[in-house]
Amino acid sequence: MTTMRTFKTFSLGLAITLGLFAQAKSGQAQQLETLTVAGGCFWCVEADFEKVKGVKEAVSGFAGGTVSDPTYKQVTKGGTGHLEAVQITFDPGEVQVETLLALFFRSVDPTDAGGQFCDRGQSYSTAVFATPAQKAAADTAKANAQADLGKSVVTPILGAAKFYPADSYHQDYYKQTDVIFTRFGPKSKANAYKAYRKACGRDARVKELWGAAAPFAGS
């Protein structure tokens, strides 16, 4: 009987411990926040922000349109109203949203209303999809970017919008090893991404615009 009671007590204690551990993990997960931005090619934005300390994940997708669960083909063809966007999940204890917004503006050409770099059209334009809690920080980041550039910044600060992740083909494109056929010849996705980024002139334009303040140019 004593042995059985001891076993039950141990089991109850273990269950409580495991329950507290699960609650702690759940509490930590709830502390994570998201920021959704559009900066032209979502492969590039994802690759840039996954390098930032405190960012836990960056997911390529679409936001801002009127069609539910759009495909990549639908968005790039036009007419859905969506922008290529990236949802950044971050730990505010490690990196603040103000820092991420400052990095975002300095990783794009916020003076260009017609797209980004070699990618033209509405779906490649820039935007910040700010939650009500992020609106003031986004407005300040935009004003600071405009003051630093001495040029008009056209990137709009929009309200929070439904985010639709792109299919798996586009996630972590910059580090995938499977081989595809491109205009540069057969290449792994990782190498195709590097060739595309260089040919598109993204880093060259960002360096020209922001100089030493460009955080990701050359990545």
Side-chain angles (χ1 to χ4, degrees), residues 95-110:
V95 61
Q96 296 183 337
V97 70
E98 290 83 358
T99 299
L100 295 175
L101 287 163
L103 291 173
F104 167 70
F105 275 102
R106 287 155 186 79
S107 68
V108 296
D109 180 353

Side-chain angles (χ1 to χ4, degrees), residues 43-137:
W43 300 337
C44 298
V45 179
E46 180 186 348
D48 286 344
F49 279 90
E50 285 194 341
K51 296 179 177 70
V52 177
K53 187 180 186 311
V55 169
K56 303 307 177 183
E57 184 181 33
V59 176
S60 290
F62 315 104
T66 57
V67 175
S68 296
D69 200 18
T71 65
Y72 178 80
K73 186 175 181 179
Q74 285 176 308
V75 173
T76 54
K77 182 179 179 181
T80 71
H82 290 90
L83 309 185
E84 284 200 12
V86 171
Q87 187 173 78
I88 302 163
T89 300
F90 64 99
D91 183 343
E94 296 183 59
V95 61
Q96 296 183 337
V97 70
E98 290 83 358
T99 299
L100 295 175
L101 287 163
L103 291 173
F104 167 70
F105 275 102
R106 287 155 186 79
S107 68
V108 296
D109 180 353
T111 69
D112 186 351
Q116 285 292 285
F117 318 108
C118 68
D119 294 315
R120 313 312 300 164
Q122 182 262 344
S123 65
Y124 292 107
S125 57
T126 60
V128 176
F129 296 94
T131 65
Q134 296 168 342
K135 177 68 163 57

Side-chain angles (χ1 to χ4, degrees), residues 1-217:
M1 182 68 69
T2 302
T3 302
M4 181 62 70
R5 186 181 298 112
T6 301
F7 176 76
K8 287 182 177 179
T9 302
F10 173 79
S11 298
L12 179 60
L14 179 61
I16 292 172
T17 300
L18 291 174
L20 289 173
F21 179 72
Q23 288 178 1
K25 286 189 70 176
S26 175
Q28 289 172 359
Q30 290 174 0
Q31 292 174 3
L32 297 180
E33 297 180 11
T34 60
L35 171 67
T36 302
V37 296
C41 169
F42 51 23
W43 300 337
C44 298
V45 179
E46 180 186 348
D48 286 344
F49 279 90
E50 285 194 341
K51 296 179 177 70
V52 177
K53 187 180 186 311
V55 169
K56 303 307 177 183
E57 184 181 33
V59 176
S60 290
F62 315 104
T66 57
V67 175
S68 296
D69 200 18
T71 65
Y72 178 80
K73 186 175 181 179
Q74 285 176 308
V75 173
T76 54
K77 182 179 179 181
T80 71
H82 290 90
L83 309 185
E84 284 200 12
V86 171
Q87 187 173 78
I88 302 163
T89 300
F90 64 99
D91 183 343
E94 296 183 59
V95 61
Q96 296 183 337
V97 70
E98 290 83 358
T99 299
L100 295 175
L101 287 163
L103 291 173
F104 167 70
F105 275 102
R106 287 155 186 79
S107 68
V108 296
D109 180 353
T111 69
D112 186 351
Q116 285 292 285
F117 318 108
C118 68
D119 294 315
R120 313 312 300 164
Q122 182 262 344
S123 65
Y124 292 107
S125 57
T126 60
V128 176
F129 296 94
T131 65
Q134 296 168 342
K135 177 68 163 57
D139 286 338
T140 297
K142 178 176 178 177
N144 289 342
Q146 185 160 289
D148 288 349
L149 284 178
K151 299 179 181 180
S152 178
V153 166
V154 299
T155 301
I157 307 301
L158 304 175
K162 175 71 175 177
F163 177 80
Y164 298 97
D167 60 83
S168 59
Y169 177 89
H170 295 285
Q171 305 302 334
D172 291 323
Y173 193 94
Y174 71 102
K175 57 186 179 184
Q176 290 189 34
T177 57
D178 45 318
V179 175
I180 58 172
F181 289 94
T182 74
R183 62 190 173 107
F184 309 106
K187 288 182 177 291
S188 68
K189 283 185 180 177
N191 287 332
Y193 161 76
K194 291 176 184 176
Y196 154 77
R197 182 164 180 148
K198 182 176 181 180
C200 199
R202 187 182 188 100
D203 294 326
R205 174 57 180 156
V206 170
K207 284 180 181 177
E208 177 187 3
L209 197 62
W210 290 103
F216 305 120

